[in-house]
Amino acid sequence: MLTKLISLSLAILLSACNVTSPPPYQKDREPEYRDQYNGAEGLSQQQKDQSYLMNKELSDKCTTAKIDLAIAETEKNTDEIKKHSTIISDSCL
């Protein structure tokens, strides 16, 4: 009985060694499309991705505001000039 128990335990232990853990994150995807993070390396990458996405959002907002400001200046629309100037001062680094 003890031999069977030891054999079964050993078989389970050895089969567990062959189990692979999931990758830390989806390296084949761009940060915008990653949705699975595992372990310490995954957590670290998730923080990097979040930082990248926040900076990208600000950069996109800044670029859009600069284009809209140029259009407003061409049209001499003072309300829009003020609006986009404020967005630029808030979002452009």
Side-chain angles (χ1 to χ4, degrees):
M1 178 72 170
L2 182 60
T3 308
K4 286 184 180 180
L5 183 60
I6 292 173
S7 297
L8 182 61
S9 298
L10 186 58
I12 291 172
L13 181 63
L14 290 175
S15 67
C17 292
N18 291 331
V19 175
T20 58
S21 61
Y25 63 96
Q26 299 153 316
K27 294 180 182 181
D28 60 331
R29 295 184 183 184
E30 294 296 318
E32 294 89 339
Y33 304 108
R34 291 183 186 143
D35 58 2
Q36 295 178 1
Y37 300 90
N38 299 302
E41 186 180 345
L43 180 60
S44 174
Q45 187 62 44
Q46 184 180 28
Q47 291 172 338
K48 291 176 189 175
D49 288 352
Q50 287 175 343
S51 176
Y52 164 80
L53 292 172
M54 288 188 313
N55 289 336
K56 184 178 183 303
E57 182 180 347
L58 274 177
S59 175
D60 292 347
K61 190 174 184 178
C62 174
T63 300
T64 301
K66 286 179 178 180
I67 293 168
D68 292 343
L69 176 62
I71 293 169
E73 287 174 341
T74 301
E75 296 173 351
K76 298 183 181 0
N77 186 336
T78 56
D79 291 336
E80 289 294 309
I81 291 172
K82 289 177 187 176
K83 174 184 166 186
H84 297 300
S85 295
T86 301
I87 293 171
I88 290 170
S89 66
D90 291 342
S91 61
C92 297
L93 301 175

